[in-house]
Amino acid sequence: MPAFKAPAPGFSVRFSPFHEHRLLAAASQHFGLVGNGHLLVLDLSAPAGAGAAAPPLFAFPTSDALFDCAWSESHESLCAAASGDGSVRLFDVALPPAQNPVRLLREHAREVHGVDWNPVRRDAFLSASWDDTLKLWSPDRPASVRTFRGHDYCVYAAVWSARHPDVFASASGDRTARVWDVREPAPTLVIPAHDHEVLSLDWDKYDPSILATGSVDKSIRVWDVRSPRAPLAQLAGHGYAVKRVRFSPHRQGMLMSCSYDMTVCMWDYRKEDALLTRYGHHTEFVAGIDMSVLVEGLLASTGWDEMIYVWPFGSDPRAM
Amino acid sequence: MAGSNPPPKPWERAGTSSGPVLFKPPSGGSTSDIVEASGTAKPGEVVSAAECNVAPSINSTISRPVPPRPWQQQGHGNSYGGYGSSMYSSYGGFGGPSTGGLYGNNMYSSYGGGYGSMYGSSGMYGGSMYNSGMGGPYGGYGMGMGAYNQGPNSFGPPAPPPGFWMSFLRVMHGVVNFCGRVAFLFSQNTQAFHMFISALLQLCDRTGMLYGELARFVLRLLGIKTKQKKDGVQGAESSSLEGPGHHFADAPKGNSSWDSVWTDDAKRK
């Protein structure tokens, strides 16, 4: 699997939950400040030409920056993208670009920075926005189902629990991570997680009460929502803000993180020496990472050097 | 949009060991229906821009007061701001005197002196143009770094939106910067064109001299030199060896050469 060249600095990558060779990527010109965005679907199985990767299966330029993207869990060609103009767009990558986006959901007042599809019930997705709110959407409804208010500052990420269909967590610039139940009016739990902004978080797929948060204070903390007073573990090793964290879908306790120090790190928070591997293959800030659900150990990363790397755990990304 | 289901997730195949303790057991039905049944649904609620960053009325299960924001603390935001402004602006200022001194005084002035008045103006070119020119681009770069820091959660928190005067002055800064750069490039192009044309003219001039010199040499080899000497080209020949620049200056000094040309001719007549 070769490295792919994105048309702009990459912001997010996601493996398809349906096809092991499909990768969704969001990229934005000028580092997301101004300019166009690009949504790409890459075919990892396509044979690489002489020195050049195969063209993307689907490429859609948008009028504003794209910060995040997520595959639908209920439809193999549907995906959602978070846009810098405050809209959430649904794309059907099986349709030609002229018929896309299939839905344009415009309710947020400011940039939408995160989207996540419910992996358990598969009929809803969340958007996290810089207007301090989160919204719950259903792909068959033209408007949001519900708005979650409570954060005091930009919400950077929202992640559904991998086990519980009604529970999700959000990371915000107000230094807290909050756990929500869609049936409750207020957050179930507020974790004052870091001393600086919390940029990302993820649930452990094997233990439904374990949560990891990544922050501007360069650290990753692992929390147990049953005893949120102190973190279970603190993973130090990044030199700058931690942009994204993601738990492995295959191995309990294993997580992947990327940072503004241009590295991607693999951790096992239950080990004494938690840092497993450090990848320095990007030459700019790393903004998006993912771990394949269908192929164990297959990793992907993208960064502001406009490269998208896909490699198996244990090998060198650039050697592929 | 019903559609298919993806393959089961690895953690689903592994099976649940312990159920979630903190949360109520999952409800049945679709997420939309569950939310509506719980009474918390507000379909299509549009968030207005005025609501941003305002403390919400609901909630506050936060057990402690919200600590000051990182960018309100001393030191954190300032260090990055200082990076953009002070370092690069001092760099721009540094570029001025050093390049000006190098180009203006030493290199180009000696160059200009050798070639007389036409290149004497190059001394001015090196001094003033390079000063402003080098300062300009680097100043612009420093400002670019400032804006760079305000990107989506790059190093620190995103800065609050700048006020009207701030943005206006920033725009004016950009305009002035732009004009400075355009003017600099324009003058550079003019200078380059001027030098190109003058070099071309000089080349023609010197080529003509070389031709004359070679022709004279060849003629001398052929043994026609005495006749040439009588015609009085000797003075020009000897002076031209000293250097091209002094040719015309020295030529009239030769007593035997040009003055005698007409006299010889007159004598012949």
Side-chain angles (χ1 to χ4, degrees), chain A residues 134-164:
Chain A
L134 297 120
K135 278 177 180 287
L136 176 70
W137 311 81
S138 180
D140 49 6
R141 298 202 178 200
S144 67
V145 179
R146 205 197 137 177
T147 305
F148 299 91
R149 289 163 197 271
H151 279 295
D152 299 325
Y153 199 68
C154 303
V155 190
Y156 291 117
V159 183
W160 288 98
S161 167
R163 293 281 187 165
H164 196 297

mmCIF file of all heavy atoms in Angstrom, chain A residues 134-164:
data_model
loop_
_atom_site.group_PDB
_atom_site.id
_atom_site.type_symbol
_atom_site.label_atom_id
_atom_site.label_comp_id
_atom_site.label_asym_id
_atom_site.label_seq_id
_atom_site.Cartn_x
_atom_site.Cartn_y
_atom_site.Cartn_z
ATOM 1 N N LEU A 134 -23.268 20.274 20.573
ATOM 2 C CA LEU A 134 -23.219 19.045 19.797
ATOM 3 C C LEU A 134 -24.628 18.819 19.255
ATOM 4 O O LEU A 134 -25.602 19.223 19.881
ATOM 5 C CB LEU A 134 -22.821 17.861 20.675
ATOM 6 C CG LEU A 134 -21.439 17.923 21.308
ATOM 7 C CD1 LEU A 134 -21.545 17.894 22.807
ATOM 8 C CD2 LEU A 134 -20.604 16.764 20.820
ATOM 9 N N LYS A 135 -24.702 18.179 18.102
ATOM 10 C CA LYS A 135 -26.019 17.891 17.545
ATOM 11 C C LYS A 135 -26.094 16.426 17.158
ATOM 12 O O LYS A 135 -25.122 15.836 16.714
ATOM 13 C CB LYS A 135 -26.296 18.775 16.330
ATOM 14 C CG LYS A 135 -26.795 20.170 16.719
ATOM 15 C CD LYS A 135 -27.003 21.041 15.523
ATOM 16 C CE LYS A 135 -27.495 22.411 15.937
ATOM 17 N NZ LYS A 135 -28.895 22.396 16.392
ATOM 18 N N LEU A 136 -27.281 15.903 17.374
ATOM 19 C CA LEU A 136 -27.569 14.512 17.025
ATOM 20 C C LEU A 136 -28.402 14.524 15.755
ATOM 21 O O LEU A 136 -29.400 15.250 15.666
ATOM 22 C CB LEU A 136 -28.331 13.841 18.172
ATOM 23 C CG LEU A 136 -28.808 12.414 17.948
ATOM 24 C CD1 LEU A 136 -27.642 11.457 17.922
ATOM 25 C CD2 LEU A 136 -29.784 12.007 19.029
ATOM 26 N N TRP A 137 -27.978 13.740 14.774
ATOM 27 C CA TRP A 137 -28.650 13.718 13.477
ATOM 28 C C TRP A 137 -29.024 12.292 13.131
ATOM 29 O O TRP A 137 -28.380 11.341 13.556
ATOM 30 C CB TRP A 137 -27.749 14.233 12.369
ATOM 31 C CG TRP A 137 -27.056 15.521 12.630
ATOM 32 C CD1 TRP A 137 -25.918 15.697 13.344
ATOM 33 C CD2 TRP A 137 -27.458 16.819 12.195
ATOM 34 N NE1 TRP A 137 -25.574 17.020 13.364
ATOM 35 C CE2 TRP A 137 -26.499 17.738 12.668
ATOM 36 C CE3 TRP A 137 -28.533 17.291 11.429
ATOM 37 C CZ2 TRP A 137 -26.576 19.099 12.402
ATOM 38 C CZ3 TRP A 137 -28.598 18.645 11.164
ATOM 39 C CH2 TRP A 137 -27.643 19.539 11.656
ATOM 40 N N SER A 138 -30.061 12.194 12.351
ATOM 41 C CA SER A 138 -30.411 10.915 11.776
ATOM 42 C C SER A 138 -30.393 11.102 10.267
ATOM 43 O O SER A 138 -30.891 12.112 9.767
ATOM 44 C CB SER A 138 -31.796 10.497 12.266
ATOM 45 O OG SER A 138 -32.133 9.264 11.698
ATOM 46 N N PRO A 139 -29.808 10.155 9.519
ATOM 47 C CA PRO A 139 -29.687 10.382 8.076
ATOM 48 C C PRO A 139 -31.032 10.461 7.363
ATOM 49 O O PRO A 139 -31.095 10.979 6.244
ATOM 50 C CB PRO A 139 -28.864 9.188 7.597
ATOM 51 C CG PRO A 139 -28.979 8.184 8.673
ATOM 52 C CD PRO A 139 -29.150 8.929 9.944
ATOM 53 N N ASP A 140 -32.100 9.966 7.993
ATOM 54 C CA ASP A 140 -33.394 10.040 7.306
ATOM 55 C C ASP A 140 -34.206 11.258 7.734
ATOM 56 O O ASP A 140 -35.373 11.366 7.408
ATOM 57 C CB ASP A 140 -34.187 8.744 7.539
ATOM 58 C CG ASP A 140 -34.228 8.367 9.000
ATOM 59 O OD1 ASP A 140 -33.748 9.169 9.828
ATOM 60 O OD2 ASP A 140 -34.733 7.273 9.319
ATOM 61 N N ARG A 141 -33.613 12.157 8.480
ATOM 62 C CA ARG A 141 -34.353 13.364 8.879
ATOM 63 C C ARG A 141 -33.655 14.599 8.317
ATOM 64 O O ARG A 141 -32.425 14.668 8.280
ATOM 65 C CB ARG A 141 -34.399 13.479 10.398
ATOM 66 C CG ARG A 141 -35.125 12.302 11.012
ATOM 67 C CD ARG A 141 -35.618 12.660 12.366
ATOM 68 N NE ARG A 141 -36.358 11.528 12.910
ATOM 69 C CZ ARG A 141 -37.223 11.646 13.896
ATOM 70 N NH1 ARG A 141 -37.449 12.817 14.441
ATOM 71 N NH2 ARG A 141 -37.860 10.594 14.335
ATOM 72 N N PRO A 142 -34.422 15.574 7.916
ATOM 73 C CA PRO A 142 -33.807 16.776 7.321
ATOM 74 C C PRO A 142 -33.232 17.747 8.349
ATOM 75 O O PRO A 142 -32.496 18.657 7.983
ATOM 76 C CB PRO A 142 -34.973 17.427 6.567
ATOM 77 C CG PRO A 142 -36.186 16.983 7.312
ATOM 78 C CD PRO A 142 -35.892 15.610 7.844
ATOM 79 N N ALA A 143 -33.595 17.557 9.620
ATOM 80 C CA ALA A 143 -33.103 18.465 10.653
ATOM 81 C C ALA A 143 -32.536 17.645 11.798
ATOM 82 O O ALA A 143 -32.738 16.437 11.886
ATOM 83 C CB ALA A 143 -34.227 19.373 11.153
ATOM 84 N N SER A 144 -31.819 18.342 12.687
ATOM 85 C CA SER A 144 -31.208 17.621 13.789
ATOM 86 C C SER A 144 -32.288 17.101 14.735
ATOM 87 O O SER A 144 -33.358 17.704 14.879
ATOM 88 C CB SER A 144 -30.242 18.529 14.537
ATOM 89 O OG SER A 144 -30.948 19.562 15.176
ATOM 90 N N VAL A 145 -31.985 15.991 15.399
ATOM 91 C CA VAL A 145 -32.919 15.432 16.359
ATOM 92 C C VAL A 145 -32.816 16.175 17.679
ATOM 93 O O VAL A 145 -33.810 16.461 18.330
ATOM 94 C CB VAL A 145 -32.627 13.930 16.557
ATOM 95 C CG1 VAL A 145 -33.576 13.326 17.574
ATOM 96 C CG2 VAL A 145 -32.704 13.200 15.240
ATOM 97 N N ARG A 146 -31.602 16.504 18.045
ATOM 98 C CA ARG A 146 -31.413 17.116 19.344
ATOM 99 C C ARG A 146 -30.116 17.915 19.370
ATOM 100 O O ARG A 146 -29.172 17.600 18.646
ATOM 101 C CB ARG A 146 -31.321 16.011 20.408
ATOM 102 C CG ARG A 146 -31.729 16.481 21.777
ATOM 103 C CD ARG A 146 -31.271 15.562 22.854
ATOM 104 N NE ARG A 146 -30.762 16.397 23.925
ATOM 105 C CZ ARG A 146 -30.324 15.930 25.080
ATOM 106 N NH1 ARG A 146 -30.297 14.644 25.307
ATOM 107 N NH2 ARG A 146 -29.884 16.748 26.008
ATOM 108 N N THR A 147 -30.084 18.943 20.212
ATOM 109 C CA THR A 147 -28.880 19.739 20.423
ATOM 110 C C THR A 147 -28.422 19.560 21.863
ATOM 111 O O THR A 147 -29.236 19.610 22.778
ATOM 112 C CB THR A 147 -29.161 21.222 20.157
ATOM 113 O OG1 THR A 147 -29.697 21.344 18.854
ATOM 114 C CG2 THR A 147 -27.892 22.040 20.259
ATOM 115 N N PHE A 148 -27.140 19.335 22.048
ATOM 116 C CA PHE A 148 -26.584 19.158 23.389
ATOM 117 C C PHE A 148 -25.808 20.409 23.758
ATOM 118 O O PHE A 148 -24.821 20.750 23.109
ATOM 119 C CB PHE A 148 -25.654 17.946 23.427
ATOM 120 C CG PHE A 148 -26.346 16.655 23.086
ATOM 121 C CD1 PHE A 148 -26.393 16.210 21.782
ATOM 122 C CD2 PHE A 148 -26.960 15.899 24.076
ATOM 123 C CE1 PHE A 148 -27.029 15.030 21.456
ATOM 124 C CE2 PHE A 148 -27.591 14.718 23.754
ATOM 125 C CZ PHE A 148 -27.640 14.280 22.443
ATOM 126 N N ARG A 149 -26.293 21.092 24.779
ATOM 127 C CA ARG A 149 -25.605 22.290 25.263
ATOM 128 C C ARG A 149 -25.004 22.007 26.619
ATOM 129 O O ARG A 149 -25.563 21.255 27.395
ATOM 130 C CB ARG A 149 -26.589 23.452 25.392
ATOM 131 C CG ARG A 149 -27.055 23.991 24.063
ATOM 132 C CD ARG A 149 -28.295 24.816 24.256
ATOM 133 N NE ARG A 149 -28.972 24.997 22.983
ATOM 134 C CZ ARG A 149 -28.718 25.993 22.156
ATOM 135 N NH1 ARG A 149 -27.836 26.891 22.472
ATOM 136 N NH2 ARG A 149 -29.354 26.091 21.011
ATOM 137 N N GLY A 150 -23.929 22.629 26.926
ATOM 138 C CA GLY A 150 -23.296 22.418 28.213
ATOM 139 C C GLY A 150 -21.844 22.820 28.219
ATOM 140 O O GLY A 150 -21.340 23.295 29.210
ATOM 141 N N HIS A 151 -21.196 22.674 27.094
ATOM 142 C CA HIS A 151 -19.794 23.074 27.042
ATOM 143 C C HIS A 151 -19.685 24.596 27.033
ATOM 144 O O HIS A 151 -20.559 25.292 26.519
ATOM 145 C CB HIS A 151 -19.127 22.489 25.800
ATOM 146 C CG HIS A 151 -18.711 21.056 25.971
ATOM 147 N ND1 HIS A 151 -17.743 20.682 26.865
ATOM 148 C CD2 HIS A 151 -19.124 19.929 25.370
ATOM 149 C CE1 HIS A 151 -17.580 19.373 26.801
ATOM 150 N NE2 HIS A 151 -18.409 18.885 25.910
ATOM 151 N N ASP A 152 -18.585 25.093 27.605
ATOM 152 C CA ASP A 152 -18.376 26.530 27.672
ATOM 153 C C ASP A 152 -17.483 27.041 26.547
ATOM 154 O O ASP A 152 -17.215 28.226 26.461
ATOM 155 C CB ASP A 152 -17.706 26.895 29.009
ATOM 156 C CG ASP A 152 -18.567 26.494 30.181
ATOM 157 O OD1 ASP A 152 -19.787 26.588 30.035
ATOM 158 O OD2 ASP A 152 -18.014 26.097 31.216
ATOM 159 N N TYR A 153 -16.958 26.129 25.771
ATOM 160 C CA TYR A 153 -16.082 26.568 24.696
ATOM 161 C C TYR A 153 -16.178 25.555 23.564
ATOM 162 O O TYR A 153 -16.892 24.566 23.671
ATOM 163 C CB TYR A 153 -14.642 26.720 25.220
ATOM 164 C CG TYR A 153 -13.789 27.585 24.333
ATOM 165 C CD1 TYR A 153 -14.045 28.943 24.228
ATOM 166 C CD2 TYR A 153 -12.764 27.036 23.585
ATOM 167 C CE1 TYR A 153 -13.291 29.735 23.391
ATOM 168 C CE2 TYR A 153 -11.999 27.825 22.749
ATOM 169 C CZ TYR A 153 -12.276 29.182 22.659
ATOM 170 O OH TYR A 153 -11.527 29.967 21.828
ATOM 171 N N CYS A 154 -15.464 25.833 22.493
ATOM 172 C CA CYS A 154 -15.492 24.979 21.315
ATOM 173 C C CYS A 154 -15.492 23.489 21.677
ATOM 174 O O CYS A 154 -14.691 23.053 22.502
ATOM 175 C CB CYS A 154 -14.256 25.221 20.460
ATOM 176 S SG CYS A 154 -14.010 26.898 19.941
ATOM 177 N N VAL A 155 -16.332 22.737 21.022
ATOM 178 C CA VAL A 155 -16.308 21.287 21.164
ATOM 179 C C VAL A 155 -15.521 20.734 19.979
ATOM 180 O O VAL A 155 -15.821 21.041 18.834
ATOM 181 C CB VAL A 155 -17.731 20.705 21.190
ATOM 182 C CG1 VAL A 155 -17.684 19.247 21.583
ATOM 183 C CG2 VAL A 155 -18.603 21.482 22.142
ATOM 184 N N TYR A 156 -14.483 19.954 20.271
ATOM 185 C CA TYR A 156 -13.593 19.512 19.209
ATOM 186 C C TYR A 156 -13.910 18.104 18.708
ATOM 187 O O TYR A 156 -13.609 17.784 17.574
ATOM 188 C CB TYR A 156 -12.144 19.556 19.685
ATOM 189 C CG TYR A 156 -11.642 20.954 19.899
ATOM 190 C CD1 TYR A 156 -11.261 21.398 21.146
ATOM 191 C CD2 TYR A 156 -11.581 21.838 18.831
ATOM 192 C CE1 TYR A 156 -10.812 22.682 21.338
ATOM 193 C CE2 TYR A 156 -11.139 23.130 19.013
ATOM 194 C CZ TYR A 156 -10.750 23.551 20.263
ATOM 195 O OH TYR A 156 -10.315 24.821 20.447
ATOM 196 N N ALA A 157 -14.469 17.287 19.573
ATOM 197 C CA ALA A 157 -14.684 15.909 19.131
ATOM 198 C C ALA A 157 -15.852 15.313 19.889
ATOM 199 O O ALA A 157 -16.147 15.689 21.021
ATOM 200 C CB ALA A 157 -13.432 15.064 19.373
ATOM 201 N N ALA A 158 -16.533 14.399 19.233
ATOM 202 C CA ALA A 158 -17.598 13.632 19.865
ATOM 203 C C ALA A 158 -17.445 12.192 19.411
ATOM 204 O O ALA A 158 -17.204 11.938 18.230
ATOM 205 C CB ALA A 158 -18.965 14.166 19.455
ATOM 206 N N VAL A 159 -17.516 11.271 20.344
ATOM 207 C CA VAL A 159 -17.309 9.861 20.016
ATOM 208 C C VAL A 159 -18.372 9.032 20.709
ATOM 209 O O VAL A 159 -18.569 9.149 21.931
ATOM 210 C CB VAL A 159 -15.902 9.385 20.456
ATOM 211 C CG1 VAL A 159 -15.698 7.949 20.037
ATOM 212 C CG2 VAL A 159 -14.824 10.252 19.871
ATOM 213 N N TRP A 160 -19.042 8.200 19.937
ATOM 214 C CA TRP A 160 -20.013 7.279 20.508
ATOM 215 C C TRP A 160 -19.304 6.173 21.268
ATOM 216 O O TRP A 160 -18.224 5.736 20.868
ATOM 217 C CB TRP A 160 -20.842 6.634 19.405
ATOM 218 C CG TRP A 160 -21.840 7.536 18.750
ATOM 219 C CD1 TRP A 160 -21.661 8.195 17.574
ATOM 220 C CD2 TRP A 160 -23.151 7.856 19.220
ATOM 221 N NE1 TRP A 160 -22.782 8.921 17.291
ATOM 222 C CE2 TRP A 160 -23.718 8.731 18.274
ATOM 223 C CE3 TRP A 160 -23.899 7.493 20.341
ATOM 224 C CZ2 TRP A 160 -24.994 9.248 18.410
ATOM 225 C CZ3 TRP A 160 -25.163 8.003 20.470
ATOM 226 C CH2 TRP A 160 -25.711 8.877 19.527
ATOM 227 N N SER A 161 -19.939 5.718 22.306
ATOM 228 C CA SER A 161 -19.438 4.525 22.979
ATOM 229 C C SER A 161 -19.551 3.335 22.037
ATOM 230 O O SER A 161 -20.532 3.204 21.294
ATOM 231 C CB SER A 161 -20.255 4.274 24.243
ATOM 232 O OG SER A 161 -19.975 2.984 24.727
ATOM 233 N N ALA A 162 -18.535 2.490 22.059
ATOM 234 C CA ALA A 162 -18.552 1.330 21.167
ATOM 235 C C ALA A 162 -19.464 0.226 21.685
ATOM 236 O O ALA A 162 -19.723 -0.749 20.977
ATOM 237 C CB ALA A 162 -17.139 0.779 21.008
ATOM 238 N N ARG A 163 -19.940 0.354 22.916
ATOM 239 C CA ARG A 163 -20.730 -0.714 23.528
ATOM 240 C C ARG A 163 -22.168 -0.309 23.780
ATOM 241 O O ARG A 163 -23.063 -1.131 23.715
ATOM 242 C CB ARG A 163 -20.090 -1.086 24.874
ATOM 243 C CG ARG A 163 -18.743 -1.723 24.742
ATOM 244 C CD ARG A 163 -18.901 -3.152 24.379
ATOM 245 N NE ARG A 163 -17.626 -3.860 24.404
ATOM 246 C CZ ARG A 163 -17.546 -5.174 24.404
ATOM 247 N NH1 ARG A 163 -18.629 -5.917 24.409
ATOM 248 N NH2 ARG A 163 -16.379 -5.758 24.404
ATOM 249 N N HIS A 164 -22.361 0.960 24.149
ATOM 250 C CA HIS A 164 -23.674 1.397 24.581
ATOM 251 C C HIS A 164 -24.278 2.280 23.498
ATOM 252 O O HIS A 164 -23.670 3.283 23.117
ATOM 253 C CB HIS A 164 -23.548 2.164 25.903
ATOM 254 C CG HIS A 164 -24.841 2.334 26.617
ATOM 255 N ND1 HIS A 164 -25.885 3.045 26.082
ATOM 256 C CD2 HIS A 164 -25.272 1.884 27.817
ATOM 257 C CE1 HIS A 164 -26.902 3.027 26.934
ATOM 258 N NE2 HIS A 164 -26.556 2.323 27.995
#
